[in-house]
């Protein structure tokens, strides 16, 4: 094929977008996340998708996922994640994803916020998980919603103790995390008899319904924002979706994790996934945005730049997923597993000192 001829596979990938959104003919719930992401992509001027990059990434991702045996079982394999599959584990995961946001630091790896636990220092997301495990070991019922409602027992000072750092830097947004616990404790008491398990049961086996319940009842899970030209908000719902995904992965699709529509969950739009997609040649930034990201300038939560970064990442992973399924119709994978893989990939790139661009800087409770 000459350089002047169109790549038929690239054209097919593009047609998947141009031919419209996925339609459903039943009454099954939808989160609206994918539709919103597609709308932002259609109207984005600062973030673009490279279709050839997406196609190449799909081949690489599938091959590496096969090689590494990627499956939901990978979730429980990490030493800090819970190993049991019971109500206490559901409470742990709910607490974890309630507080699963904003761990980045401008300090060096030796100076940034870190948790000392099991003779190791943990940073980033793992600092949260380690802090929760440490608190439970110390007899602090940090995953109990009754505790969150107790204004005498659960105080900001107690939370500071739970998340005490082994460096001079404190956990970011600690007061916001405290507010999330208070709010969630109240909602669980008022609507779900203080039980995250009851919340899951209320979704009746639907991942999309559970995401919608979280966004409806808990303001701190309502990750939706305005974008130019669209009347209704763009729903990104990172933490609501990752709660569903973590439950599904932990329980390996059974029990509390038996969701008939887990494939409706998209990737989890944070600050790491746009970074790895850019490094892999899937996402391209306009010159002003590229300069801002490389200079580590603050990008305001809900701004056009931030919305484009997050929403276009969702749409990018969706196109990668579709390309993999097209090439491998029997592949058993979804956006959740691709997200888990991409997150592990960027952490490996970071550890190897091979980051070619930093992640964007936005400080918020949404991710």
């Amino acid at each position: 094929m000459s350089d002047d001829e169109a790549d038929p596979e690239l054209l097919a990938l593009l047609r998947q977008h141009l031919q419209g959104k996925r339609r459903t003919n039943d009454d099954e719930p939808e989160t609206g996340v994918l539709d919103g992401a597609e709308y932002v992509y259609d109207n984005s001027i600062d973030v673009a998708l490279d279709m050839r990059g997406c196609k190449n990434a799909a081949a690489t991702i599938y091959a590496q996922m096969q090689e590494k045996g990627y499956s939901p079982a990978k979730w429980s394999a990490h030493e800090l994640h819970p190993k049991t599959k019971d109500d206490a584990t559901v409470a742990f995961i709910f607490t974890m994803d309630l507080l699963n946001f904003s761990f980045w630091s401008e300090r060096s790896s030796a100076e940034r916020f870190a948790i000392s636990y099991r003779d190791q220092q943990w940073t980033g997301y793992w600092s949260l998980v380690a802090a929760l495990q440490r608190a439970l070991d110390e007899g602090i019922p940090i995953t109990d919603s009754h505790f969150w409602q107790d204004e005498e027992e659960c105080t900001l000072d107690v939370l500071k103790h739970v998340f005490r750092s082994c460096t001079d830097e404190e956990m970011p947004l600690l007061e916001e995390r405290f507010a999330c616990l208070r709010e969630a404790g109240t909602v669980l008491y008022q609507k779900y008899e203080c039980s995250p398990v009851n919340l899951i049961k209320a979704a009746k086996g639907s991942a999309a319904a559970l995401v919608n319940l979280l966004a409806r009842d808990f303001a701190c899970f309502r990750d939706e924002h305005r974008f130019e030209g669209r009347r209704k908000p763009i729903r990104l719902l990172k933490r609501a979706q990752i709660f569903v995904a973590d439950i599904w992965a932990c329980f390996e699709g059974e029990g509390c994790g038996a969701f008939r529509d887990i494939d409706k969950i998209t990737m989890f739009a944070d600050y790491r996934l746009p970074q790895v997609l850019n490094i892999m040649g899937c996402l391209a930034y306009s010159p002003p945005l590229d300069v801002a990201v490389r200079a580590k300038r603050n990008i305001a939560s809900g701004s056009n730049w931030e919305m484009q970064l997050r929403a276009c990442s969702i749409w990018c992973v969706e196109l990668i997923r579709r390309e993999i399924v097209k090439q491998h119709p029997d592949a058993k994978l979804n956006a959740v597993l691709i997200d888990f893989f991409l997150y592990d990939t960027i952490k490996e790139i970071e550890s190897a000192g091979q980051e070619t661009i930093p992640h964007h800087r936005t400080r918020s409770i949404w991710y």
Side-chain angles (χ1 to χ4, degrees):
M1 184 176 69
S2 71
D3 291 340
D4 294 331
E5 294 178 302
D7 185 328
E9 292 187 347
L10 283 177
L11 288 175
L13 186 62
L14 183 59
R15 287 192 191 100
Q16 290 182 55
H17 166 63
L18 296 177
Q19 287 174 353
K21 309 178 183 72
R22 176 180 58 188
R23 302 292 182 182
T24 58
N25 297 317
D26 51 34
D27 295 326
E28 284 289 291
E30 301 288 338
T31 67
V33 173
L34 201 57
D35 286 348
E38 184 179 14
Y39 178 88
V40 175
Y41 167 73
D42 285 341
N43 294 276
S44 177
I45 59 174
D46 291 290
V47 180
L49 269 61
D50 184 310
M51 290 300 175
R52 188 179 297 277
C54 290
K55 180 175 177 292
N56 292 339
T60 299
I61 289 168
Y62 179 74
Q64 293 186 7
M65 289 181 76
Q66 292 295 106
E67 180 183 337
K68 296 179 180 180
Y70 246 77
S71 73
K74 285 281 186 182
W75 192 95
S76 296
H78 194 280
E79 63 178 291
L80 289 183
H81 275 159
K83 301 298 181 284
T84 58
K85 294 175 173 55
D86 53 22
D87 290 3
T89 293
V90 172
F92 186 97
I93 295 173
F94 183 83
T95 308
M96 183 178 76
D97 289 324
L98 186 63
L99 306 178
N100 184 2
F101 54 84
S102 200
F103 303 106
W104 59 268
S105 171
E106 298 295 2
R107 300 193 186 187
S108 69
S109 57
E111 298 174 326
R112 65 179 297 185
F113 169 77
I115 293 293
S116 178
Y117 181 62
R118 293 182 182 173
D119 299 322
Q120 293 189 56
Q121 287 191 13
W122 305 91
T123 59
Y125 162 76
W126 294 113
S127 68
L128 167 66
V129 186
L132 296 179
Q133 294 285 18
R134 183 178 66 182
L136 293 175
D137 289 351
E138 294 172 347
I140 301 172
I142 190 61
T143 62
D144 187 341
S145 67
H146 294 90
F147 175 68
W148 307 340
Q149 298 173 67
D150 193 326
E151 296 184 3
E152 293 184 2
E153 293 294 325
C154 183
T155 64
L156 184 58
D157 285 340
V158 169
L159 204 63
K160 287 179 179 178
H161 174 75
V162 168
F163 292 109
R164 65 191 182 277
S165 178
C166 57
T167 70
D168 290 335
E169 184 177 38
E170 293 185 351
M171 175 175 258
L173 302 183
L174 196 60
E175 291 186 5
E176 286 80 358
R177 295 177 205 275
F178 181 65
C180 287
L181 289 174
R182 272 282 194 266
E183 181 208 330
T186 300
V187 174
L188 287 175
Y189 169 75
Q190 293 175 342
K191 294 180 176 289
Y192 300 104
E193 298 179 348
C194 299
S195 171
V197 173
N198 287 342
L199 169 64
I200 293 172
K201 289 178 179 178
K204 299 179 181 178
S206 168
L210 182 51
V211 168
N212 291 340
L213 286 174
L214 286 162
R216 184 194 73 186
D217 294 341
F218 300 82
C220 63
F221 277 109
R222 202 172 300 136
D223 178 13
E224 52 186 37
H225 314 273
R226 294 289 175 182
F227 188 75
E228 290 183 358
R230 196 172 196 248
R231 285 189 175 183
K232 61 182 180 179
I234 302 295
R235 310 185 89 204
L236 301 177
L237 304 179
K238 185 262 185 181
R239 290 190 297 109
Q241 290 202 107
I242 205 169
F243 170 66
V244 177
D246 283 345
I247 291 292
W248 172 75
C250 175
F251 286 81
E252 298 184 48
E254 299 180 354
C256 286
F259 299 113
R260 63 182 176 274
D261 55 352
I262 191 62
D263 291 350
K264 289 182 180 179
I265 302 301
T266 71
M267 63 80 83
F268 320 119
D270 64 0
Y271 47 85
R272 283 301 196 175
L273 269 292
Q275 179 191 22
V276 71
L277 291 171
N278 179 273
I279 291 172
M280 295 179 75
C282 302
L283 285 187
Y285 303 160
S286 68
L289 177 57
D290 188 79
V291 168
V293 171
R294 291 181 186 278
K296 300 181 180 180
R297 297 176 190 163
N298 180 64
I299 296 177
S301 178
S303 66
N304 270 15
W305 273 0
E306 192 226 17
M307 292 295 291
Q308 291 175 63
L309 284 165
R310 298 181 71 199
C312 289
S313 296
I314 292 173
W315 190 247
C316 181
V317 170
E318 172 62 14
L319 292 188
I320 288 172
R321 184 197 66 79
R322 292 182 187 182
E323 174 66 11
I324 292 174
V325 171
K326 176 189 171 187
Q327 299 299 329
H328 308 278
D330 296 330
K332 294 182 179 179
L333 88 166
N334 51 35
V336 174
L337 290 176
I338 296 174
D339 183 286
F340 287 171
F341 172 82
L342 289 173
Y343 180 82
D344 288 347
T345 298
I346 190 59
K347 297 306 289 185
E348 291 171 3
I349 292 172
E350 179 186 38
S351 297
Q354 297 175 341
E355 292 172 290
T356 56
I357 188 171
H359 64 76
H360 71 275
R361 262 57 177 178
T362 298
R363 188 71 79 186
S364 78
I365 72 167
W366 305 121
Y367 59 96

